[in-house]
Amino acid sequence: MTTVDPAAGSCPAPLPETERILLGHGAGGRLSAELIGQVLLPALGTAAPGGPLEDAAVVTVDGTDLALSTDAYVVDPLFFPGGDIGALAVHGTVNDLAMRAAMPIALTIAYVVEEGLPVTELRRVAVSAGQAAAAAGVPVVTGDTKVVGRGAADRLFVITAGLGRRIAGAAPSAARARPGDAILLSGPIGCHGVTVLSTREGLGFEADVESDTRPLHRLVAAMVAAGGDAVHTLRDPTRGGLAAALNEIAAASGVGAEIEERALPVPEPVRAACEMLGLDPAYVANEGCLVAFVAPGKADAVLSAMRSRGEGRHAVRIGTVQADGPVVVRTAVGSRRVLDMPVGEQLPRIC
């Protein structure tokens, strides 16, 4: 029997041996957080990082703040309107660095290839990844390739790592949101998740919408130039969508948030797909937008800087940080509903 130590303030509650990993454990929601907190971080012991979980870790070397990130991409299908697993892996890694206000210095890429994958498909992915890295202005400096048996990797998995140098004077963190901060969103939500799902299942929505995958580091540089340290928090709402990102930040900072439903930019094809499938666009994955928490005195300047770049031309203010409480959405009719942390997997294999 597991007992609770009142002095410790928490219960270790290990996962029973009879439990198994579910797709939801990789969805970026509550199950993911439980897996990380109860299984993965405790296993690291003294190597486990303190504080909130971030998109990238910041380490200081000889007085220089560097950001380090690692990620794995298992998207199905490998190719979809607006992108593919190669470009997605590069963009996602660059963006994880950017969410800590770090400009990319170098990337690594490893491919886990299933036996039987056509060489033409591997070449197409590799070329796309190389082109994406060149367009982002970051070299791929090392990598690896492994081949596994048929059925062991579902065609192709891509694993990356990224190293970046933090912009001087900027220190965004999930733990730095403050009451009164403006919540800014750089563009439409739901495009990536709907595109991947529609392509995989042949739903037809991909004819009207495409993935928003793109690098965001230059957008972040413009935001920091306009707002400096007033840019308190940055997060790209990938797995679990905007809802997961907002709840992660609120929990890490000990604050609440109120979002205006009418301010959320949801493209009509995404809205139609979500209505048909019974999904909330706020929970659908994105790969080319970010949410920012900015001190109110600098919010207008940062928003203007966002709109000056193509990646942020549709940027909007969607809400305000509250002193406490949950993340809530004020609906078009003036009522409020809680925007809770996602629990399971709505759209598997989208990144």
Side-chain angles (χ1 to χ4, degrees), residues 56-345:
V58 174
V59 294
T60 302
V61 179
D62 294 333
T64 299
D65 285 343
L66 302 175
L68 181 65
S69 178
T70 187
D71 213 335
Y73 297 84
V74 297
V75 62
D76 175 28
L78 301 180
F79 307 96
F80 43 85
D84 58 74
I85 193 172
L88 181 68
V90 170
H91 295 160
T93 307
V94 167
N95 291 347
D96 281 346
L97 298 173
M99 296 309 104
R100 304 306 306 278
M103 298 297 101
I105 298 172
L107 301 180
T108 75
I109 298 181
Y111 298 102
V112 178
V113 187
E114 182 186 6
E115 179 188 15
L117 180 77
V119 173
T120 54
E121 293 193 9
L122 179 59
R123 180 180 292 113
R124 182 179 169 190
V125 169
V127 168
S128 179
Q131 292 174 340
V138 55
V140 177
V141 296
T142 189
D144 192 21
T145 304
K146 293 292 187 295
V147 177
V148 298
R150 292 177 185 268
D154 199 4
R155 303 178 71 199
L156 179 67
F157 297 157
V158 181
I159 298 91
T160 61
L163 180 69
R165 181 181 293 107
R166 206 172 208 186
I167 301 171
S173 166
R176 291 195 62 218
R178 296 291 181 265
D181 280 358
I183 303 175
L184 310 180
L185 183 66
S186 68
I189 59 173
C191 295
H192 177 73
V194 165
T195 299
V196 171
L197 176 66
S198 183
T199 304
R200 182 166 63 225
E201 304 298 337
L203 302 179
F205 292 104
E206 71 272 17
D208 301 312
V209 65
E210 64 179 31
S211 171
D212 62 342
T213 180
R214 74 189 81 181
L216 299 173
H217 59 303
R218 297 183 180 103
L219 174 64
V220 169
M223 295 169 65
V224 170
D229 194 45
V231 180
H232 291 160
T233 304
L234 295 169
R235 183 63 61 97
D236 55 337
T238 53
R239 294 178 304 169
L242 180 63
L246 292 173
N247 276 279
E248 288 167 355
I249 294 167
S253 295
V255 297
E258 183 169 292
I259 305 301
E260 295 292 336
E261 187 174 55
R262 286 180 292 188
L264 294 178
V266 182
E268 190 52 41
V270 172
R271 191 182 304 278
C274 288
E275 289 178 355
M276 187 188 82
L277 298 170
L279 301 174
D280 185 334
Y283 291 90
V284 178
N286 314 274
E287 289 292 345
C289 72
L290 62 81
V291 61
F293 289 51
V294 182
K298 289 287 188 176
D300 288 343
V302 172
L303 185 59
S304 178
M306 294 170 74
R307 290 172 174 169
S308 71
R309 293 201 55 85
E311 314 95 301
R313 64 184 180 278
H314 299 301
V316 292
R317 177 171 178 165
I318 62 170
T320 306
V321 176
Q322 307 297 312
D324 53 24
V327 177
V328 298
V329 174
R330 182 189 288 272
T331 68
V333 297
S335 62
R336 288 181 173 85
R337 63 180 177 89
V338 175
L339 190 66
D340 207 352
M341 188 74 165
V343 176
E345 178 69 276

